[in-house]
Amino acid sequence: MIPAPQIAAGAGAGGAAIEILKLSKWYGALQVLHDVDLVVDRGERLVICGPSGSGKSTLIRTVNALEGFQRGEIRVGGVKLTREPAVVEAVRRNVGMVFQQFNLFPHLTVLENCALSLRLVRGLSGPEARERSMHYLTKVRIPEQAGKYPAQLSGGQQQRVAIARAIAMQPEVMLFDEPTSALDPEMVKEVLDVMVGLAEDGMTMVVVTHEMGFARQVADRVIFMDAGRIVEQAPPEVFFTRPQSERTRAFLQQVLPH
Amino acid sequence: MHYHDNVDYPPLLSRPNVFFPLLAAVFAGLWWFNAGDSAIGRLVAGIIPEGASPATQTLATAVIVTAFLAFNIVVVMRLPLRQQVWLVWGELAVVILLFFYSFDLSFAFIQRKIGFLLTQGLVTTLYISAVSITIATILALMGAIAKLSSNGIAQGIAHFYTSLFRGLPLLMQIYMIYLGLPQLGYVVDAVPTGIAALSLCYGAYMTEIFRAGIESIPKGQWEAARALGLRPGAVMTRIILPQSMRVIIPPTGNQFISMLKDSSLVSVVGVWELMYLARTQGQTEFRHVEMMITASLIYWLMSIVLELIQKRIETHFNKAVTR
């Protein structure tokens, strides 16, 4: 059985997938997030950009508890994120993540990379897990590499496997932490194409990226962060043509082709 | 070199300014230590005329040995790399066996005793080592996980454990268990004493190896596994430990080989293992050297077997990386 992508379970197409309220985080004395408020609707495609050190990666990493926080509140699918094992496990089951450095498991084949968590977390049998993994490897257009080890693949292929591994868990939200930043230029497109396909299927996506073309094409909303604060948010057509803040304009001038 | 360069530097021994000084040094060494009067000299003595002065004999010995070495190097250098390695290994093995042979051993005595040495001594040594290795591995795994845990009690125990058992001589630990525990009312037999001491001591060393191996895995692997919803136990056993094996296996192989030989220390409490038998069997007929050499060769052969096993395991855990 190949399950259909899950969208908006229960709450209808409009409910919030992620709610972040007054979120603050410190590393020692250094405050890296300042009272961040952010609501991501189900089915929404959100792109977060900003200079390095602006807190954008830290922000999305708090959503699945890879980073802790000191003040504020996060709700994922209506569940308030605490440090309780049951809560964190439930949230992580519903939130997929793709990393800048792929983080595939080098000692497992491509297929095993996808199937392991299906068996251990979703409780699928071996054959079921392999079948579903193959389905998603086909979706990211890489089924022929299933028997290889990650080191035998190109960066673009590895990142597509990482995407397949995450979406095979059928999460309700996908987080992307600079998914193309570690790739050679010619491999960026194959990864972005997969992500566009995912967006077209209706997946809720939060993407930290510098790929402004992707933001224009896919995003419902673009957020600009600087120094731990959300400086500006707008639909892409507004964000790129009429940015309100001076800092956003300066940033866009740096990253957009002249 | 580990990663080959693409420059053909001339091999060290093919350079005259290395080759000839080396030969000169060997010659000088033989001359200096009066090689003519040694076992090598007696081997050579057959070729030179009888009644030659000691100086002539040493000179002849030095010349012949040096010439043979030079010829050997020239021949070996022409072979492919693998054959070079094996040939040199074999030559050195012959030299060491000749060294043993030069003791004028009684092979009849060895033949008479070797059966007992193997069936009693070797079996006991292997038994003690195998059980100790297993327990030490479990202790090391627990110690490493305790050291990396956020449990203060576990960390405290693990730190104290490695400090104490790495800090005391193994021999002392054996005595303490064998002679000390009876003070508390527990009389421990010799074999369990040996197993306990070896397990505790090697478990402490291996704790540090396992800890370093676990720490060598990058943070991203933990994060990816956690983000997928894996529980801590699964993260450790499915993701982290299998990868750290690549780092853990080579030094652990070292520990196993070392433990195999340190098991001979157990002979002090009268366990009838290889070392104990080698000592006692030789004593009765003043044939110490025979038994020592036989036991040495048995230890060496067992170590070689362990080396080969280690190599196979390394290859297994490297397969994902070597393509």
Side-chain angles (χ1 to χ4, degrees), chain A:
Chain A
M1 179 201 89
I2 307 297
Q6 282 178 307
I7 326 161
I18 305 170
E19 295 164 272
I20 297 173
L21 300 169
K22 295 256 171 269
L23 188 74
S24 291
K25 178 178 173 63
W26 286 262
Y27 285 123
L30 177 71
Q31 189 166 6
V32 290
L33 293 175
H34 292 265
D35 293 328
V36 175
D37 285 306
L38 177 66
V39 177
V40 183
D41 290 331
R42 289 183 199 274
E44 186 179 8
R45 276 89 63 170
L46 184 70
V47 165
I48 305 178
C49 61
S52 77
S54 60
K56 51 195 195 306
S57 285
T58 309
L59 178 64
I60 68 164
R61 286 161 54 88
T62 56
V63 172
N64 62 351
L66 288 185
E67 300 279 354
F69 54 91
Q70 282 81 25
R71 243 176 36 205
E73 190 177 316
I74 298 178
R75 287 174 179 277
V76 182
V79 178
K80 186 179 173 209
L81 182 62
T82 64
R83 298 177 67 94
E84 284 288 313
V87 172
V88 175
E89 280 169 19
V91 166
R92 284 177 179 169
R93 273 199 296 273
N94 289 326
V95 178
M97 190 165 204
V98 172
F99 300 86
Q100 181 177 357
Q101 299 297 338
F102 328 140
N103 293 349
L104 292 181
F105 305 131
H107 61 301
L108 301 177
T109 63
V110 165
L111 186 65
E112 291 163 347
N113 260 277
C114 298
L116 181 73
S117 51
L118 291 177
R119 284 193 289 116
L120 296 182
V121 180
R122 288 282 185 234
L124 268 56
S125 71
E128 284 171 339
R130 281 194 293 275
E131 190 193 342
R132 197 199 281 189
S133 300
M134 280 312 292
H135 171 72
Y136 284 98
L137 286 172
T138 312
K139 217 169 162 59
V140 300
R141 298 193 281 277
I142 208 167
E144 70 282 358
Q145 311 285 5
K148 289 195 181 166
Y149 286 98
Q152 294 167 281
L153 304 185
S154 72
Q157 290 173 323
Q158 289 192 47
Q159 194 59 300
R160 284 189 282 151
V161 172
I163 294 173
R165 179 175 73 176
I167 60 175
M169 295 290 285
Q170 299 172 341
E172 289 174 16
V173 183
M174 280 290 295
L175 308 173
F176 293 84
D177 189 1
E178 304 203 26
T180 57
S181 299
L183 294 173
D184 289 334
E186 78 273 19
M187 294 172 183
V188 170
K189 189 173 175 299
E190 64 185 66
V191 171
L192 290 180
D193 284 348
V194 165
M195 290 169 62
V196 170
L198 204 56
E200 284 166 356
D201 288 347
M203 174 66 80
T204 309
M205 294 166 70
V206 181
V207 185
V208 171
T209 187
H210 294 134
E211 294 293 333
M212 293 301 129
F214 175 80
R216 272 209 181 97
Q217 184 189 351
V218 171
D220 298 313
R221 186 161 45 130
V222 182
I223 283 183
F224 175 70
M225 281 185 76
D226 191 24
R229 291 187 174 85
I230 293 180
V231 175
E232 181 155 359
Q233 45 183 318
E237 55 279 9
V238 179
F239 184 86
F240 290 109
T241 52
R242 300 188 297 281
Q244 302 297 306
S245 117
E246 185 50 46
R247 276 187 285 174
T248 314
R249 273 195 291 275
F251 176 75
L252 286 176
Q253 249 168 25
Q254 298 292 323
V255 296
L256 289 177
H258 301 289

Side-chain angles (χ1 to χ4, degrees), chain B residues 164-176:
Chain B
L164 182 70
F165 284 94
R166 287 201 303 172
L168 295 183
L170 179 54
L171 192 56
M172 210 77 85
Q173 296 178 29
I174 293 170
Y175 279 132
M176 279 186 178

Side-chain angles (χ1 to χ4, degrees), chain B:
Chain B
M1 297 296 151
H2 187 40
Y3 295 107
H4 288 287
D5 199 353
N6 296 302
V7 185
D8 283 330
Y9 293 110
L12 214 52
L13 287 171
S14 74
R15 300 180 198 177
N17 58 355
V18 175
F19 185 62
F20 290 111
L22 177 80
L23 293 181
V26 170
F27 183 86
L30 289 165
W31 177 261
W32 184 259
F33 288 106
N34 281 324
D37 205 24
S38 69
I40 319 170
R42 286 192 290 280
L43 274 180
V44 175
I47 321 173
I48 54 171
E50 241 171 286
S53 71
T56 324
Q57 191 148 347
T58 294
L59 184 69
T61 308
V63 167
I64 289 170
V65 172
T66 309
F68 180 74
L69 182 70
F71 173 74
N72 191 21
I73 289 174
V74 170
V75 170
V76 170
M77 295 279 284
R78 285 169 191 281
L79 296 172
L81 181 72
R82 270 196 100 69
Q83 290 178 27
Q84 287 185 14
V85 175
W86 283 112
L87 187 61
V88 171
W89 201 102
E91 284 177 348
L92 290 173
V94 168
V95 169
I96 197 83
L97 289 177
L98 278 178
F99 171 65
F100 289 157
Y101 186 74
S102 74
F103 295 147
D104 194 19
L105 304 173
S106 157
F107 288 100
F109 179 76
I110 292 176
Q111 212 166 19
R112 199 141 38 81
K113 294 287 186 186
I114 192 157
F116 188 53
L117 228 49
L118 290 176
T119 53
Q120 172 64 39
L122 177 62
V123 166
T124 310
T125 292
L126 282 178
Y127 167 71
I128 289 176
S129 302
V131 175
S132 305
I133 282 168
T134 312
I135 299 175
T137 307
I138 296 167
L139 283 175
L141 195 55
M142 294 193 332
I145 291 173
K147 276 197 168 184
L148 297 172
S149 76
S150 43
N151 179 336
I153 297 171
Q155 272 196 39
I157 295 172
H159 278 114
F160 182 81
Y161 164 62
T162 49
S163 167
L164 182 70
F165 284 94
R166 287 201 303 172
L168 295 183
L170 179 54
L171 192 56
M172 210 77 85
Q173 296 178 29
I174 293 170
Y175 279 132
M176 279 186 178
I177 293 171
Y178 194 64
L179 306 173
L181 282 186
Q183 303 287 325
L184 302 178
Y186 298 101
V187 177
V188 191
D189 280 343
V191 171
T193 297
I195 289 175
L198 285 168
S199 305
L200 287 166
C201 179
Y202 277 85
Y205 282 106
M206 282 162 59
T207 294
E208 291 300 291
I209 296 174
F210 277 55
R211 182 186 58 75
I214 291 169
E215 283 179 337
S216 74
I217 306 305
K219 193 181 175 201
Q221 292 291 313
W222 295 80
E223 290 183 343
R226 288 168 179 167
L228 284 165
L230 266 59
R231 295 223 173 105
V235 175
M236 185 55 83
T237 56
R238 303 305 186 103
I239 306 299
I240 303 302
L241 281 181
Q243 292 185 58
S244 30
M245 281 304 155
R246 282 191 58 231
V247 182
I248 290 174
I249 296 287
T252 300
N254 248 348
Q255 295 291 306
F256 284 3
I257 289 172
S258 171
M259 178 196 278
L260 185 72
K261 288 166 294 135
D262 274 356
S263 69
S264 60
L265 288 173
V266 177
S267 62
V268 296
V269 290
V271 177
W272 283 29
E273 47 70 74
L274 194 50
M275 184 69 191
Y276 181 85
L277 290 187
R279 229 152 21 100
T280 49
Q281 294 295 302
Q283 238 155 24
T284 48
E285 297 180 36
F286 295 105
R287 293 271 177 207
H288 294 102
V289 183
E290 274 83 352
M291 288 294 94
M292 288 299 164
I293 287 174
T294 312
S296 301
L297 288 178
I298 295 172
Y299 277 119
W300 188 18
L301 281 176
M302 286 194 293
S303 302
I304 291 174
V305 171
L306 280 184
E307 266 177 59
L308 294 175
I309 294 172
Q310 177 193 336
K311 206 160 204 163
R312 288 204 90 135
I313 299 176
E314 263 181 60
T315 323
H316 171 76
F317 280 106
N318 275 331
K319 70 179 191 297
V321 186
T322 45
R323 310 193 169 198

